[in-house]
Amino acid sequence: MDMVSETQVNGGAETGELPPALAERPAGLPPGTYALVGWDMDTTGRRLIDEICQIAAYAPKQTYSQYIMPYGDLNPGARRRHSVRVVTVGRYRMLKDTNTHKILKTKSEISALTEFLDWLEAARGDAGSVILIYHEPRRLSPTMLLEALTRYKLLDRFKSIVSGFTDSYALAADKCKSTVKSVSLRVLARVLLDADTLSVDSALDRATAAYKIVEHLAQGEQQEVGAGGEGAPPSAHMVETARAWARPVSTELDALATLKTLLERQNTFRPVFAPLLRTVRPQRKRVTALRRLLADAGLLYDQLKDAWQEQKIEGLEKQLAALSVTAKEEDIKELIEIFDCHFDPAKEPKGPKPRAPRNKNRAGGSAGEGEGDAGDGSTSDSAASSVHHSPTKTNNAEAAVGDTSQTVANPEPVAAN
């Protein structure tokens, strides 16, 4: 994410990556007095309806970190990333650190968010408002935070404290593009900061690193990192850098609304893609990519259904011509085949065709590799088509707007604890 962890944002189609128009360099905030706070959080998954399980913040003179007891379980990917899981002890559900095997002290999500706003007010001090600094390629964390605040009717109070979000990932990508190949938090912590004393394992670690990366880049290459001393307030140049690279809260709320609309469009295609999303991982990623192409083009399931009923394949071709700007010809042909077979009861349903593996040496897969191995593109067509012969049921990843249709991702099934 990573905010919500670096590994979490790989594959934009699955994680709700914002459209290119929303991924441009930020316009910045108006001149004023701002307090800077590094911020990060961990969540139970990558959907808007997922919950926060830890929220943390860093300011030069104080820090904040609180674990949250979610109502649901963390999905397998989130458990691995955050090294926590929900366990049941007697009649009570608790959050456990899987590294230390200790039970963590938690609060409810609404209590932690309220306490976090109290902390931000104190951290603001005499400044006009706060800028939250985070590090993430896909801008997913701000939307998830704003959705959670909206859920508990805390958004208005948040907007009275926080003016915007500065993404240190975007700043580093601009400032360091000629010197480093990757601007992940772990790489930047090692290259720009003192890796021996600064880790990026916990939400608080990442919040601290994001703040210090902006601090370092604002100082410039000629100045020593931390020249102001540990605990010193941000320099005027750092504040100006964060202000210039910030997106207002209103911009992120617009992005959230756009993302919800996009994913609501995706959910209209549930009759076609829900069975396919229960296939092995390489095909699941392909399905989400195809579904995203349709949503980006503004298409809806009923449009394609009406077009097929009127003109069959020719009608589909006319509707999918809208994809020609953003999609490859093979993608369009594949979608036409999938929808034609879906609408025609005389034809066997088709799934996406497996993609050839990038590494030819792995084409056959090695012994011990699971079906869901992301690097293996050799899944057979029969494995995909067999899904269509099972009774159709709603997929969890499709049923949620609250993957940010309602979902930002397609989580793995969560085993009972």
Side-chain angles (χ1 to χ4, degrees):
M1 120 226 205
D2 172 28
M3 201 63 205
V4 200
S5 159
E6 291 169 27
T7 57
Q8 215 167 337
V9 297
N10 293 334
E14 281 195 38
T15 57
E17 178 183 356
L18 295 170
L22 297 176
E24 299 171 353
R25 173 171 173 164
L29 294 171
T33 57
Y34 297 98
L36 304 184
V37 171
W39 159 74
D40 203 334
M41 66 183 192
D42 296 333
T43 59
T44 58
R46 289 177 281 189
R47 304 173 299 168
L48 275 190
I49 60 168
D50 282 316
E51 305 163 82
I52 302 169
C53 57
Q54 185 187 15
I55 188 166
Y58 169 87
K61 294 184 179 180
Q62 53 189 325
T63 61
Y64 176 81
S65 179
Q66 179 62 55
Y67 284 98
I68 296 170
M69 187 65 229
Y71 285 101
D73 294 338
L74 285 76
N75 70 34
R79 291 202 297 265
R80 289 191 297 269
R81 282 189 298 274
H82 312 321
S83 298
V84 295
R85 64 174 297 169
V86 175
V87 297
T88 301
V89 180
R91 297 188 306 170
Y92 300 99
R93 298 172 74 251
M94 301 179 182
L95 204 61
K96 180 180 180 179
D97 187 314
T98 57
N99 290 330
T100 64
H101 305 292
K102 293 183 178 179
I103 299 298
L104 300 169
K105 184 178 180 180
T106 61
K107 293 187 176 183
S108 67
E109 193 173 47
I110 186 172
S111 295
L113 287 173
T114 302
E115 185 179 78
F116 177 57
L117 295 182
D118 292 339
W119 185 90
L120 285 176
E121 281 189 325
R124 176 175 59 180
D126 298 330
S129 62
V130 172
I131 297 176
L132 292 181
I133 299 172
Y134 71 106
H135 192 93
E136 182 194 334
R138 307 297 186 193
R139 293 172 56 195
L140 180 58
S141 292
T143 62
M144 295 190 75
L145 175 63
L146 293 173
E147 181 71 7
L149 292 166
T150 302
R151 192 157 59 232
Y152 299 112
K153 297 180 173 58
L154 295 172
L155 183 59
D156 288 341
R157 185 184 175 197
F158 178 80
K159 290 192 292 185
S160 71
I161 303 170
V162 177
S163 291
F165 298 86
T166 293
D167 184 3
S168 60
Y169 183 97
L171 174 62
D174 181 77
K175 301 293 185 183
C176 305
K177 56 188 175 185
S178 62
T179 56
V180 295
K181 292 182 179 180
S182 169
V183 290
S184 71
L185 200 58
R186 193 172 300 277
V187 169
L188 292 177
R190 183 176 67 250
V191 174
L192 301 182
L193 309 174
D194 185 355
D196 293 333
T197 60
L198 186 64
S199 72
V200 293
D201 293 331
S202 72
L204 182 57
D205 290 337
R206 296 192 298 274
T208 303
Y211 181 97
K212 291 184 177 293
I213 285 169
V214 174
E215 182 180 46
H216 175 91
L217 295 175
Q219 288 174 340
E221 297 180 358
Q222 302 303 317
Q223 298 189 36
E224 182 182 352
V225 178
E230 186 66 29
S235 66
H237 193 194
M238 180 182 178
V239 174
E240 179 60 22
T241 300
R243 182 191 71 80
W245 280 84
R247 287 186 177 89
V249 172
S250 60
T251 298
E252 296 296 352
L253 286 171
D254 290 342
L256 174 58
T258 299
L259 192 54
K260 281 186 174 182
T261 300
L262 174 74
L263 291 164
E264 283 168 357
R265 287 195 209 116
Q266 287 186 174
N267 271 3
T268 68
F269 295 103
R270 186 182 304 163
V272 180
F273 293 117
L276 301 177
L277 287 169
R278 293 194 294 274
T279 60
V280 293
R281 184 178 176 186
Q283 278 199 294
R284 207 161 56 233
K285 293 179 70 174
R286 177 63 177 161
V287 168
T288 56
L290 292 174
R291 186 182 60 175
R292 178 61 182 266
L293 287 173
L294 296 168
D296 282 342
L299 295 171
L300 300 172
Y301 176 82
D302 287 342
Q303 288 176 254
L304 298 181
K305 182 178 180 180
D306 292 343
W308 185 87
Q309 289 175 342
E310 292 176 7
Q311 297 179 294
K312 300 298 189 269
I313 290 182
E314 184 179 347
L316 291 175
E317 289 174 344
K318 289 179 180 178
Q319 289 292 323
L320 295 178
L323 302 179
S324 59
V325 176
T326 57
K328 298 177 181 178
E329 185 178 350
E330 62 184 271
D331 296 332
I332 298 174
K333 288 181 178 179
E334 191 168 354
L335 283 168
I336 290 173
E337 182 180 18
I338 289 173
F339 279 94
D340 181 48
C341 293
H342 170 77
F343 292 130
D344 191 343
K347 295 181 179 178
E348 182 181 352
K350 296 282 187 178
K353 298 175 182 177
R355 288 291 178 261
R358 293 181 182 178
N359 186 342
K360 294 182 179 180
N361 292 330
R362 297 188 58 188
S366 59
E369 283 184 354
E371 285 184 315
D373 185 87
D376 184 5
S378 59
T379 308
S380 66
D381 285 329
S382 60
S385 62
S386 65
V387 176
H388 298 280
H389 299 295
S390 61
T392 301
K393 58 184 178 180
T394 302
N395 185 283
N396 288 339
E398 299 274 352
V401 170
D403 201 297
T404 336
S405 94
Q406 297 184 346
T407 64
V408 176
N410 301 305
E412 301 287 347
V414 179
N417 289 304

